[in-house]
Amino acid sequence: METSQGITLAALAIHFLVGLSRAMILFIVCSGLSFVLGVLRVPNVAHGSLYMIGAFSAFSIFTLLGGGAVAFWAALILAPFVVAIVSLIAERSLFKHLYQREHLMLLLFTFALMLILGDLVKIIWGAQYRSIMAPEFLRGSFPLFGASLPRYNVFLLIVGPLVAIGLWLFTNKTKIGKIARAAAVDMEMVGALGINVSWVFAFAFVLGCFLAGMGGALVAPTISITIGMDHDLIIEAFLIVVIGGLGNMWGAMVGSLIFGLTQSFGVLFLPQFAIVFPYTAVVIVLLIRPKGLLKSVW
Amino acid sequence: MLDVETINTYYGLSHILFDVSLKVKSGQVVCLLGRNGAGKTTTLKSILGLTPPKMGRIRFKGEEIAGEQPFRLVRKGIGYVPDDRRIFADLTVGENLEIAAKKAAGREDWDEEKVYKLFPTLKGFASRRGGFLSGGEQKMLAIGRALMGNPEFLLLDEPTEGLAPALVRSLGETITRLKEAGLTVLLAEQNVKFTLKLSDYGYIIDNGRICYQGTVKELMEDDDVRKTCGI
Ligand SMILES: Nc1ncnc2c1ncn2[C@@H]1O[C@H](COP(=O)(O)OP(=O)(O)O)[C@@H](O)[C@H]1O
Ligand SMILES: [Mg+2]
């Protein structure tokens, strides 16, 4: 805890861990955005909307199932699949026809989709604040250096690396993952190997959106779920993906860590300017490495 | 096996192929000779549907295929080795082969082991990224990758380009072996000596038009034709 003398070591440690756990959610969402950017070359502005739909779906599932521990886990697991279905419909009906368009077109299109999805969310869930509650054993906090670390943040610190490992295994060890990597670079040649690239793209898109939904579901117990959370996220997410290196999963991780940690320490050192810190970090990174920290696939 | 009938192909507004016709019979190696920019690559790409012809017909195993998507044609038994290789640089040699693997109904399958047996050089590089291979090694990999799809008919675009003479010779043996194993090949080349040794029948293309066709014997003997066609 903070003392009147200034910032204690404990507060530093707590802020570090909280920042780290927030970075895990950012990573999960951004790795999805980055994957879609890398494989499909689509800068999906509507990615934040899918994150929001993930959170609202988690709320609905949670409430529908009575709000207990089971309801929580069901919400966490099923909400990303709800988002996956929404994204599959969007992909097969809309995105599929647009991959060959220029980036500006895609930006405008996905921006429009963001507005449409935002309105849909408002129609379905209304403008109230919603919330869900983590089960008993994820509530409260662990004592740490005389301060306390929320248990849910510890949970996020476990889930984040698991998702990273899962994603790594997927892209490097499964055939479809390898095909997706190949298609990211030369989709025509992938087609010339007898592979239906259209479905590879659909799969990659849905996977990316699934991760957005997962981020939304994971963040749900820590925030007020409300319309507008898509806008807050998408800007951060794009910045993270850009500073990390477009299409690079580890870049999404590095970018998320920079963002999450600078934000968290900003709150600690200069709370009234906290919001400035991550953006300053972005500017610094881009001045030093305009193409992002890690290798970009673009 | 393949019957191309008066196809015309464009890149945007520029007209590249003019009424190109050619036939490949099952079990043959047929070559398409022509100098740089003559239209060989465009012809192969037109057959595979990568640059679909605006006019004309293409039949493969009796079935009309013009306008079909490339991946469907590959599934029907066409293999493609592009002139610029197009190896997936970020994937390892093994992964390049693995993603191309496709079962063939009722025939003996190619697998990674068999490709490595055909190109022993590649074996040592199995876990190396494709981007780190030399041009010649990439050529072999491109051929191996196409074979992994178990094609009946192979479109082979300038396999000798940039290859050392020793490699060219062993490539010739490879193609002969593939032919003996029952593969039909359409071979686009500039290297006349190499190509005619392997081929059963040949076409010469220049400025997007087939300007000569004949048996290998006719092609070898007719120096004038080869000169006027620029090879
Ligand atoms: N992508 C392209 N866009 C426009 N013109 C092209 C393209 N590719 C090839 N061409 C032109 O088409 C003609 C035939 O090229 P190509 O089929 O590659 O010849 P070859 O394979 O016999 O060397 C050339 O004049 C070349 O400049
Ligand atoms: Mg060529």
Side-chain angles (χ1 to χ4, degrees), chain B residues 103-107 109:
Chain B
K103 286 263 164 289
R107 267 174 302 127
D109 277 351

Side-chain angles (χ1 to χ4, degrees), chain A residues 175 178 186 188-189 191 194, chain B residues 71 74-75 86 98 101 145:
Chain A
K175 188 166 172 179
K178 292 169 192 177
D186 189 348
E188 189 182 70
M189 192 59 222
Chain B
F71 81 90
V74 174
R75 288 182 183 177
R86 293 169 81 166
E98 182 192 343
R145 185 178 61 180

Side-chain angles (χ1 to χ4, degrees), chain A residues 171-175 178-179 181-183 185-197 295 297, chain B residues 45 48 50 70-72 74-75 80 82 85-86 88 90-92 95-96 98-102 129 145:
Chain A
T171 48
N172 289 284
K173 298 292 165 202
T174 66
K175 188 166 172 179
K178 292 169 192 177
I179 291 172
R181 272 160 61 214
V185 182
D186 189 348
M187 60 178 264
E188 189 182 70
M189 192 59 222
V190 170
L193 297 179
I195 295 162
N196 189 346
V197 180
K295 193 178 150 229
V297 302
Chain B
K45 283 186 170 177
L48 196 65
L50 293 173
F71 81 90
R72 293 201 191 283
V74 174
R75 288 182 183 177
Y80 176 55
R85 309 181 294 269
R86 293 169 81 166
F88 303 113
D90 287 339
L91 271 58
T92 64
E95 288 172 338
N96 266 279
E98 182 192 343
I99 65 167
K102 201 153 43 64
R129 280 177 198 272
R145 185 178 61 180

Side-chain angles (χ1 to χ4, degrees), chain B residues 102-133:
Chain B
K102 201 153 43 64
K103 286 263 164 289
R107 267 174 302 127
E108 202 192 352
D109 277 351
W110 282 90
D111 57 25
E112 287 170 46
E113 267 325 296
K114 282 189 189 141
V115 170
Y116 292 142
K117 215 184 269 166
L118 187 66
F119 301 116
T121 350
L122 289 182
K123 181 152 191 161
F125 298 150
S127 54
R128 188 179 292 191
R129 280 177 198 272
F132 291 127
L133 299 186

Side-chain angles (χ1 to χ4, degrees), chain B residues 31-192:
Chain B
C31 63
L32 180 63
L33 288 161
R35 61 180 146 196
N36 223 343
K40 304 180 294 296
T41 297
T42 309
T43 304
L44 298 199
K45 283 186 170 177
S46 299
I47 293 169
L48 196 65
L50 293 173
T51 54
K54 271 226 178 88
M55 288 166 280
R57 336 174 31 146
I58 304 172
R59 273 188 299 272
F60 177 62
K61 296 195 284 187
E63 192 185 337
E64 181 69 43
I65 59 165
E68 281 228 42
Q69 291 197 61
F71 81 90
R72 293 201 191 283
L73 302 184
V74 174
R75 288 182 183 177
K76 288 189 168 125
I78 302 181
Y80 176 55
V81 181
D83 56 351
D84 47 0
R85 309 181 294 269
R86 293 169 81 166
I87 295 303
F88 303 113
D90 287 339
L91 271 58
T92 64
V93 168
E95 288 172 338
N96 266 279
L97 295 176
E98 182 192 343
I99 65 167
K102 201 153 43 64
K103 286 263 164 289
R107 267 174 302 127
E108 202 192 352
D109 277 351
W110 282 90
D111 57 25
E112 287 170 46
E113 267 325 296
K114 282 189 189 141
V115 170
Y116 292 142
K117 215 184 269 166
L118 187 66
F119 301 116
T121 350
L122 289 182
K123 181 152 191 161
F125 298 150
S127 54
R128 188 179 292 191
R129 280 177 198 272
F132 291 127
L133 299 186
S134 73
E137 290 153 3
Q138 288 194 346
K139 276 258 141 88
M140 294 181 212
L141 181 54
I143 296 172
R145 185 178 61 180
L147 293 174
M148 289 295 287
N150 288 298
E152 293 169 57
F153 173 55
L154 193 63
L155 296 167
L156 196 50
D157 199 350
E158 295 213 37
T160 67
E161 187 196 17
L163 242 56
L167 281 176
V168 171
R169 224 171 303 123
S170 85
L171 185 71
E173 287 160 24
T174 304
I175 295 171
T176 309
R177 233 180 303 158
L178 294 175
K179 180 188 166 184
E180 281 161 7
L183 193 66
T184 308
V185 180
L186 178 58
L187 174 62
E189 260 298 347
Q190 299 193 50
N191 184 337
V192 180

Side-chain angles (χ1 to χ4, degrees), chain A residues 52-217:
Chain A
M52 176 168 70
I53 292 174
F56 273 106
S57 303
F59 161 76
S60 287
I61 296 166
F62 181 76
T63 326
L64 217 65
L65 295 181
V70 175
F72 173 79
W73 293 112
L76 213 56
I77 293 164
L78 295 179
F81 284 99
V82 172
V83 174
I85 291 167
V86 172
S87 64
L88 182 65
I89 295 167
E91 203 279 338
R92 285 292 94 178
S93 58
L94 301 168
F95 281 87
K96 181 180 149 183
H97 307 289
L98 298 165
Y99 293 134
Q100 309 304 326
R101 303 295 177 89
E102 338 136 45
H103 294 142
L104 182 62
M105 264 290 299
L106 289 167
L107 271 175
L108 288 173
F109 166 72
T110 58
F111 183 72
L113 188 65
M114 176 186 82
L115 298 178
I116 293 168
L117 289 176
D119 278 347
L120 275 180
V121 167
K122 206 187 220 160
I123 291 168
I124 297 174
W125 282 286
Q128 300 99 304
Y129 287 87
R130 311 284 195 176
S131 64
I132 75 174
M133 207 193 279
E136 193 63 45
F137 88 100
L138 287 178
R139 292 205 293 264
S141 40
F142 292 115
L144 190 80
F145 308 130
S148 61
L149 179 67
R151 292 185 183 194
Y152 195 76
N153 290 83
V154 177
F155 171 64
L156 293 177
L157 286 174
I158 297 167
V159 175
L162 286 180
V163 170
I165 292 168
L167 209 56
W168 183 85
L169 286 174
F170 168 77
T171 48
N172 289 284
K173 298 292 165 202
T174 66
K175 188 166 172 179
I176 171 96
K178 292 169 192 177
I179 291 172
R181 272 160 61 214
V185 182
D186 189 348
M187 60 178 264
E188 189 182 70
M189 192 59 222
V190 170
L193 297 179
I195 295 162
N196 189 346
V197 180
S198 175
W199 279 106
V200 175
F201 276 15
F203 186 83
F205 184 76
V206 170
L207 177 70
C209 298
F210 179 89
L211 290 165
M214 185 189 247

